[in-house]
């Protein structure tokens, strides 16, 4: 169990390691992509910086040029202001100079206008470059922020991975320590088990020698005492009664009952279908009440009228088959004789279908040739004719397979046992084909009925007859589907139940042997029934469990009780003999007493009559009491007081006799006590011998357990060595993987640190700009 748990843990760790390795590869790819992006961004920043510097230089040069132009404009304005008063003074003399100054002024104005336009254009370019620079700077800053967040996330993932790796390393080290402790304990147990195995091997040798001697003895007894083995030959073994499988019989009876119900539904649907078809022939295409139908349809109607004599026997045959399957029989193909009758009834029905098929096809052709038949109706009639041919063919196929299944009960050589399963599967396929054909018939007939209902000459009688035929076809379809699904669901059970037969044989050889076996089974059942007696009230289960140990070790064991009963019977016989002896003695004493009384009466005849009568009455009473007292114990325990006139010598003899009788009774009681004690001690000895036998049996069981334990110990030792090696290999591999992962993580950390430094430097540069 520990090795299994450790393997599970290592598998989980390996799965986690593979997941983390995949994540690490993804992170590597992400870091490489970010490095490429950062390098591209650095190049872009450099280009932007260069373009920005160029624009700044151009801006500086333009500002300087503007300042120069402004100074020049101021100088020109000053010169113009100075030249205006001078022009007023000498207008006449300066006409030529005015013309020259105007030319210069126009030249300066054009130059100034050009400079102003160029200045505006440069201002516009500078503004656009400034806006573009701000936009690029904002994009780069947002990009830098996202990169910083991603770097922080990657760093968190790396920290989590390192934590997980450290935890797994600690767990593996703890597991390694536990495994070392377990290995030490298992080594100690292995040493102890080796010693035990040596002892068990010695005991095993002794037991092997004993068992080999017993085996030789038993084999010699079998060879000498067993003259004939009937299971050796299949012909004789087929006559043996197999074990009674009540569950199998009840299951087969239940299946046969379901099949009977399905066949009854199918029979009623077939009867309705043929009957309503006969009614339809009398109505369409020519109504027999108005005009005479064709001779073909008359013959067809006559044949259809006989459908009950062919369809009803199917139900009867299935009913006989169901009744033949009882709880007391053995249901296999060799014993189901009633299946042959069902096959014969099915054959007669198929002959009926073959007889009516050409008339049915001709009747459909006659409908197609009538003036009322449209092209759509003609197409439906052709489809129905094809369906009828297929239905007859399917019934023939089904009858062939059922006839094959009926062969083992009549002709054993007609079907081999190896072909039973293939025949049953073909029966299921034929039933499914019958269901498919009935679905097609139902579909085509419903289309035909709808077309005929739309005809202007369709009567109510035709409509109701078509509805009845359609309902019977639907019932046939449902019944066929139920039978097909029922057979396919129970097909595996049918194939498995074929092996039900005599013990250690392939099956029944012939129907005759199966019939003889059933007769023997009935005789055996009758014999067992005659032996069956009403059971007495049993002891409650809890009380029996409570008294089990008492019964095992009790002194009142079966043999001890039998011996006690035998001894008590012997004692009773002895006591009966003594009783008879003392009865004879009592009779003799009675006779003696009567003689003595007679003698005394004769002696005392001369005395008075009253005294004689009293003496006679007393003597008669004493004689009656002596005749009724049959037990000797009263005679011994109570001394007899004779009222007769016997001398004192006889009374003394009676006293001596009573004394000795009392002594004999005392001695017999002591003897009985000694006998009971001896029986008790004998029963205890018997119980101790039984306990000794049980102890020997438990010893044998313990030796077997020791064998199994030694085998398990050797197996566990082998598993321990293999698991040790595998765990050491796994630990070394995982340590190597962890080292490589630590190296990759350190490299990734360095790369992330460099990225952080580069991103910080870029952010500082952007801020300074």
């Amino acid at each position: 169990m520990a090795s299994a748990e450790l393997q599970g843990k290592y598998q989980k760790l390996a799965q986690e390691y593979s997941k983390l390795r995949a994540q690490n590869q993804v992170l590597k790819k992400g870091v490489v992509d970010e490095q490429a992006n950062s390098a591209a961004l650095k190049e872009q920043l450099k280009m932007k910086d260069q373009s920005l510097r160029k624009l700044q230089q151009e801006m500086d040069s333009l500002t300087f040029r503007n300042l120069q132009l402004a100074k020049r404009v101021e100088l020109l304005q000053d010169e113009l202001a100075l030249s205006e008063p001078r022009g007023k003074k000498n207008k006449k003399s300066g006409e030529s100079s005015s013309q020259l100054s105007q030319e210069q002024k126009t030249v300066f104005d054009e130059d100034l206008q050009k400079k102003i336009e160029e200045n505006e254009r440069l201002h516009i370019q500078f503004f656009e470059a400034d806006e573009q620079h701000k936009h690029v700077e904002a994009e780069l800053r947002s990009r830098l922020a996202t990169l910083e967040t991603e770097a922080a996330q990657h760093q968190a993932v790396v920290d989590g991975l390192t934590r997980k790796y450290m935890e797994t390393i600690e767990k593996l080290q703890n597991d390694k320590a536990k495994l070392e402790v377990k290995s030490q304990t298992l080594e100690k147990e292995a040493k102890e088990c080796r010693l035990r195995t040596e002892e068990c091997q010695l005991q095993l040798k002794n037991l092997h020698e004993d068992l080999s001697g017993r085996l030789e003895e038993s084999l010699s007894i079998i060879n000498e005492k067993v003259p004939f083995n009937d299971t050796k030959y299949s012909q004789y073994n087929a006559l043996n009664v197999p074990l009674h499988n009540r569950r199998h019989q009840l299951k087969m009876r239940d299946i046969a009952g379901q099949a009977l119900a399905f066949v009854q539904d199918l029979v009623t649907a077939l009867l309705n279908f043929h009957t309503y078809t006969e009614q339809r022939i009398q109505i369409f295409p020519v109504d027999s009440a108005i005009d005479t139908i064709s001779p073909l349809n008359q013959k067809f109607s006559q044949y259809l009228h006989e459908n009950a004599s062919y369809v009803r026997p199917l139900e009867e045959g299935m009913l006989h088959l169901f009744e033949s399957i009882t709880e007391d029989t053995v249901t296999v193909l060799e014993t189901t004789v009633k299946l042959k009758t069902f096959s014969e009834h099915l054959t007669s029905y198929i002959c009926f279908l073959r007889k009516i098929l050409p008339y049915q096809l001709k009747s459909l052709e006659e409908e197609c040739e009538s003036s009322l038949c449209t092209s759509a109706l003609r197409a439906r009639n052709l489809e129905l004719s094809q369906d009828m041919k297929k239905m007859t063919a399917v019934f023939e196929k089904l009858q062939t397979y059922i006839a094959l299944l009926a062969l083992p009960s009549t002709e054993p050589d007609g079907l081999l046992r190896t072909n039973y399963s293939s025949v049953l599967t073909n029966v299921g396929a034929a039933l499914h084909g019958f269901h498919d054909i009935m679905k097609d018939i139902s579909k085509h007939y419903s289309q035909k009925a709808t077309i005929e209902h739309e005809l202007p000459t369709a009567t109510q009688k035709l409509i109701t007859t078509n509805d009845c035929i359609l309902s019977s076809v639907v019932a046939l379809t449902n019944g066929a589907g139920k039978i097909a699904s029922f057979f396919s669901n129970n097909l595996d059970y049918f194939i498995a139940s074929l092996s039900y037969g005599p013990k250690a044989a392939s099956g029944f050889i012939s129907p005759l042997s199966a019939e003889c076996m059933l007769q023997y089974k009935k005789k055996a059942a009758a014999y067992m029934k005659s032996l069956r007696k009403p059971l007495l009230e049993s002891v409650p289960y809890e009380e029996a469990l409570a008294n089990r140990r008492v019964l095992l070790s009790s002194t009142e064991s079966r043999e001890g009780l039998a011996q006690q009963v035998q001894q008590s019977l012997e004692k009773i016989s002895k006591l009966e003999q003594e009783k008879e002896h003392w009865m004879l003695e009592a009779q003799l004493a009675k006779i003696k007493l009567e003689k003595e009384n007679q003698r005394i009466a004769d002696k005392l005849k001369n005395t008075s009559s009253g005294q004689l009568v009293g003496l006679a009455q007393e003597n008669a009473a004493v004689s009656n009491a002596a005749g009724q007292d049959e037990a000797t114990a009263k005679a011994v325990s109570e001394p007899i007081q004779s009222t007769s006139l016997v001398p004192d010598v006889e009374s003394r003899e009676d006293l001596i006799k009573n004394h000795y009788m009392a002594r004999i009774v005392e001695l017999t009681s002591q003897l009985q006590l000694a006998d009971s004690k001896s029986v008790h001690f004998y029963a205890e000895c018997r119980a101790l011998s039984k306990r000794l036998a049980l102890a020997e049996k438990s010893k044998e069981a313990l030796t077997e357990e020791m064998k199994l334990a030694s085998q398990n110990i050797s197996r566990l030792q082998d598993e321990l060595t293999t698991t040790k090696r595998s765990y050491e290999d796994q630990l070394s591999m995982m340590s190597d993987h962890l080292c490589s992962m630590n190296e990759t993580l350190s490299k990734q950390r360095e790369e992330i640190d460099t990225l952080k430094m580069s991103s910080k430097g870029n952010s500082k540069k952007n801020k300074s700009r």
Side-chain angles (χ1 to χ4, degrees):
M1 291 294 290
S3 63
E5 291 178 357
L6 288 171
Q7 285 180 358
K9 287 182 181 179
Y10 282 118
Q11 287 177 359
K12 289 181 180 178
L13 290 172
Q15 291 176 359
E16 290 180 358
Y17 176 72
S18 62
K19 289 180 182 178
L20 294 173
R21 192 171 181 181
Q23 291 177 359
N24 192 8
Q25 291 178 357
V26 174
L27 290 172
K28 278 184 180 180
K29 289 181 181 179
V31 168
V32 171
D33 294 335
E34 292 298 329
Q35 286 179 355
N37 291 328
S38 63
L41 290 171
K42 284 179 183 179
E43 291 178 357
Q44 288 179 3
L45 283 172
K46 288 179 181 179
M47 296 294 290
K48 295 294 181 183
D49 288 335
Q50 290 177 1
S51 61
L52 185 63
R53 286 172 186 171
K54 288 180 181 179
L55 291 171
Q56 283 179 354
Q57 289 175 0
E58 289 179 357
M59 189 70 186
D60 293 336
S61 62
L62 288 172
T63 51
F64 179 72
R65 185 68 175 164
N66 286 331
L67 289 172
Q68 286 181 352
L69 291 172
K71 288 178 180 179
R72 191 173 180 182
V73 168
E74 287 178 357
L75 289 171
L76 290 171
Q77 286 178 355
D78 292 335
E79 289 178 357
L80 182 63
L82 291 172
S83 63
E84 280 180 357
R86 290 178 184 176
K88 288 180 181 178
K89 290 180 180 179
N90 46 7
K91 290 180 181 177
K92 294 179 182 179
S93 62
E95 286 179 358
S96 61
S97 61
S98 63
Q99 290 178 356
L100 193 132
S101 62
Q102 283 179 357
E103 290 178 358
Q104 290 178 353
K105 188 176 181 180
T106 54
V107 170
F108 284 139
D109 289 334
E110 289 177 358
D111 192 6
L112 183 62
Q113 187 68 30
K114 289 179 181 179
K115 295 295 182 182
I116 290 167
E117 289 176 357
E118 188 178 359
N119 195 7
E120 287 179 357
R121 183 174 56 78
L122 289 172
H123 273 291
I124 290 165
Q125 288 179 357
F126 179 75
F127 180 74
E128 290 177 353
D130 192 10
E131 288 293 328
Q132 189 176 2
H133 175 70
K134 287 179 181 179
H135 181 67
V136 170
E137 186 178 1
E139 286 182 355
L140 291 172
R141 283 180 180 176
S142 63
R143 189 81 175 276
L144 183 62
T146 55
L147 289 171
E148 287 177 353
T149 54
E150 289 178 358
Q153 290 176 358
H154 291 319
Q155 185 63 34
V157 171
V158 170
D159 294 336
L161 291 173
T162 52
R163 270 192 242 102
K164 283 185 180 178
Y165 290 145
M166 293 301 291
E167 289 175 357
T168 52
I169 290 165
E170 290 177 359
K171 286 181 181 178
L172 290 171
Q173 288 176 353
N174 294 326
D175 292 336
K176 186 178 179 182
K178 290 179 181 178
L179 286 171
E180 288 176 354
V181 174
K182 284 184 180 179
S183 64
Q184 291 176 0
T185 55
L186 287 171
E187 286 176 356
K188 291 179 181 178
E189 291 178 356
K191 289 179 181 178
E192 294 176 356
C193 291
R194 283 171 189 167
L195 298 173
R196 290 179 185 175
T197 50
E198 290 176 356
E199 295 176 357
C200 291
Q201 284 175 357
L202 293 174
Q203 293 178 359
L204 180 62
K205 287 180 181 178
N206 297 327
L207 289 170
H208 183 68
E209 291 175 356
D210 188 11
L211 290 172
S212 61
R214 289 183 183 179
L215 180 62
E216 290 176 358
E217 184 180 358
S218 61
L219 286 173
S220 63
I221 291 168
I222 289 167
N223 291 326
E224 292 174 0
K225 302 294 183 182
V226 179
F228 177 65
N229 185 11
D230 58 352
T231 59
K232 188 175 180 181
Y233 303 100
S234 59
Q235 292 86 0
Y236 302 134
N237 192 27
L239 298 175
N240 287 329
V241 178
L243 296 174
H244 182 65
N245 193 347
R246 184 171 178 271
R247 185 179 296 173
H248 169 75
Q249 290 301 119
L250 293 175
K251 176 75 173 176
M252 290 301 292
R253 186 167 176 81
D254 185 21
I255 289 171
Q258 294 178 17
L260 176 62
F262 293 141
V263 169
Q264 286 175 350
D265 295 339
L266 197 66
V267 164
T268 53
L270 285 171
L271 287 171
N272 293 330
F273 177 67
H274 293 311
T275 305
Y276 292 132
T277 305
E278 180 188 358
Q279 292 180 6
R280 175 186 162 77
I281 290 167
Q282 299 290 334
I283 297 168
F284 190 81
V286 178
D287 193 352
S288 61
I290 300 170
D291 196 359
T292 57
I293 61 176
S294 64
L296 178 70
N297 285 333
Q298 287 179 4
K299 196 71 175 175
F300 185 32
S301 176
Q302 181 182 354
Y303 287 151
L304 286 173
H305 193 68
E306 300 171 357
N307 68 87
S309 60
Y310 296 100
V311 178
R312 290 287 183 193
L314 293 174
E315 182 179 356
E316 294 175 0
M318 197 66 197
L319 182 60
H320 292 319
L321 179 61
F322 171 70
E323 290 174 351
S324 66
I325 299 171
T326 60
E327 186 180 346
D328 300 328
T329 59
V330 178
T331 304
V332 288
L333 288 177
E334 288 84 356
T335 58
T336 53
V337 183
K338 298 296 181 181
L339 187 61
K340 180 67 176 175
T341 57
F342 179 75
S343 175
E344 290 173 355
H345 294 321
L346 185 59
T347 305
S348 64
Y349 177 67
I350 287 166
C351 292
F352 170 71
L353 288 178
R354 288 173 183 166
K355 184 169 65 174
I356 66 171
L357 179 63
Y359 293 98
Q360 196 166 12
L361 297 177
K362 290 291 183 182
S363 178
L364 290 172
E365 289 178 2
E366 188 175 341
E367 287 184 12
C368 294
E369 290 173 358
S370 65
S371 59
L372 300 174
C373 185
T374 60
S375 60
L377 189 59
R378 191 176 293 108
R380 298 292 86 77
N381 287 331
L382 292 173
E383 289 174 352
L384 278 174
S385 63
Q386 294 296 325
D387 293 337
M388 291 301 170
K389 291 179 183 178
K390 290 178 182 178
M391 187 179 78
T392 307
V394 166
F395 266 109
E396 289 175 354
K397 187 177 180 182
L398 189 62
Q399 189 273 334
T400 303
Y401 291 128
I402 292 174
L404 286 173
L405 290 176
L407 282 176
S409 61
T410 55
E411 298 176 4
D413 298 330
L415 181 64
L416 296 176
R417 190 177 180 81
T418 54
N419 296 327
Y420 287 178
S421 59
S422 61
V423 172
L424 287 170
T425 52
N426 288 325
V427 169
L431 288 171
H432 281 290
F434 176 55
H435 179 227
D436 295 336
I437 289 166
M438 290 312 302
K439 285 195 289 188
D440 294 337
I441 290 172
S442 176
K443 176 184 174 183
H444 297 153
Y445 206 91
S446 62
Q447 294 174 358
K448 175 181 171 151
T450 53
I451 294 168
E452 287 181 352
H453 292 174
E454 293 174 357
L455 293 174
T457 58
T459 60
Q460 187 64 34
K461 202 172 183 182
L462 177 63
I463 292 170
T464 53
T465 305
N466 284 335
D467 292 338
C468 292
I469 292 173
L470 192 59
S471 63
S472 64
V473 169
V474 170
L476 266 174
T477 306
N478 294 330
K482 288 178 182 178
I483 290 175
S485 60
F486 160 76
F487 195 85
S488 60
N489 291 332
N490 294 300
L491 182 60
D492 296 332
Y493 181 74
F494 290 151
I495 294 170
S497 64
L498 295 175
S499 61
Y500 180 58
K503 186 178 179 182
S506 60
F508 300 107
I509 295 172
S510 65
L512 184 61
S513 64
E515 187 177 357
C516 293
M517 183 276 301
L518 290 176
Q519 290 177 3
Y520 296 152
K521 183 177 174 64
K522 288 178 182 178
K523 289 180 181 179
Y527 177 69
M528 295 297 290
K529 192 174 182 181
S530 65
L531 292 176
R532 188 181 297 170
K533 294 179 181 179
L535 297 174
L536 299 175
E537 292 183 359
S538 63
V539 181
Y541 182 67
E542 295 179 355
E543 186 177 353
L545 287 177
N547 296 331
R548 182 176 178 275
R549 290 187 178 178
V550 178
L551 290 172
L552 288 174
S553 62
S554 176
T555 58
E556 295 179 356
S557 62
R558 187 174 180 181
E559 295 179 358
L561 288 172
Q563 290 180 358
Q564 289 181 7
V565 169
Q566 188 67 27
Q567 291 175 1
S568 62
L569 288 172
E570 291 175 356
K571 287 180 181 179
I572 288 166
S573 63
K574 288 179 182 179
L575 290 172
E576 288 289 336
Q577 291 175 1
E578 290 178 357
K579 180 182 176 183
E580 291 177 357
H581 173 69
W582 289 111
M583 286 287 290
L584 293 171
E585 289 289 334
Q587 288 178 1
L588 290 172
K590 184 178 178 182
I591 292 167
K592 286 180 181 180
L593 184 60
E594 288 177 355
K595 287 180 180 181
E596 189 68 27
N597 288 330
Q598 187 69 31
R599 187 175 62 79
I600 291 168
D602 292 337
K603 283 181 180 181
L604 297 175
K605 277 183 180 181
N606 296 324
T607 61
S608 62
S609 61
Q611 190 176 0
L612 288 170
V613 171
L615 288 170
Q617 287 177 355
E618 287 177 0
N619 290 329
V622 170
S623 63
N624 289 328
Q628 290 176 358
D629 189 7
E630 296 178 357
T632 59
K634 289 183 179 180
V636 174
S637 62
E638 296 179 359
I640 301 171
Q641 297 179 358
S642 177
T643 58
S644 64
L645 298 175
V646 184
D648 293 335
V649 178
E650 292 182 357
S651 64
R652 201 182 304 117
E653 289 178 355
D654 291 334
L655 288 172
I656 292 166
K657 184 179 178 181
N658 291 334
H659 173 71
Y660 280 111
M661 289 298 292
R663 184 65 179 165
I664 288 166
V665 169
E666 185 179 357
L667 290 172
T668 52
S669 64
Q670 290 178 0
L671 182 63
Q672 287 177 357
L673 181 62
D675 289 338
S676 64
K677 285 183 178 179
S678 65
V679 169
H680 175 70
F681 288 136
Y682 179 72
E684 284 186 353
C685 290
R686 295 282 297 176
L688 288 172
S689 65
K690 284 189 175 182
R691 285 184 182 178
L692 183 62
L694 291 172
E696 288 179 354
K697 288 182 180 178
S698 63
K699 184 180 177 182
E700 291 176 358
L702 288 172
T703 53
E704 291 178 357
E705 289 180 358
M706 285 291 291
K707 284 182 191 177
L708 295 172
S710 63
Q711 292 175 1
N712 290 327
I713 286 163
S714 61
R715 183 173 56 79
L716 287 171
Q717 286 177 355
D718 297 333
E719 289 181 356
L720 180 63
T721 54
T722 54
T723 50
K724 270 186 178 180
R725 290 174 184 174
S726 63
Y727 290 154
E728 288 175 357
D729 295 335
Q730 288 179 0
L731 285 171
S732 62
M733 289 174 66
M734 290 188 76
S735 62
D736 295 335
H737 285 303
L738 288 171
C739 292
S740 62
M741 287 178 72
N742 288 324
E743 291 177 358
T744 53
L745 286 171
S746 62
K747 289 179 182 179
Q748 288 179 1
R749 282 179 182 175
E750 291 176 358
E751 290 176 356
I752 289 166
D753 292 333
T754 53
L755 284 172
K756 281 184 177 179
M757 294 295 291
S758 63
S759 62
K760 285 180 181 178
N762 291 327
S763 62
K764 286 179 181 180
K765 286 180 181 179
N766 291 325
K767 286 179 181 178
S768 63
R769 287 173 185 173

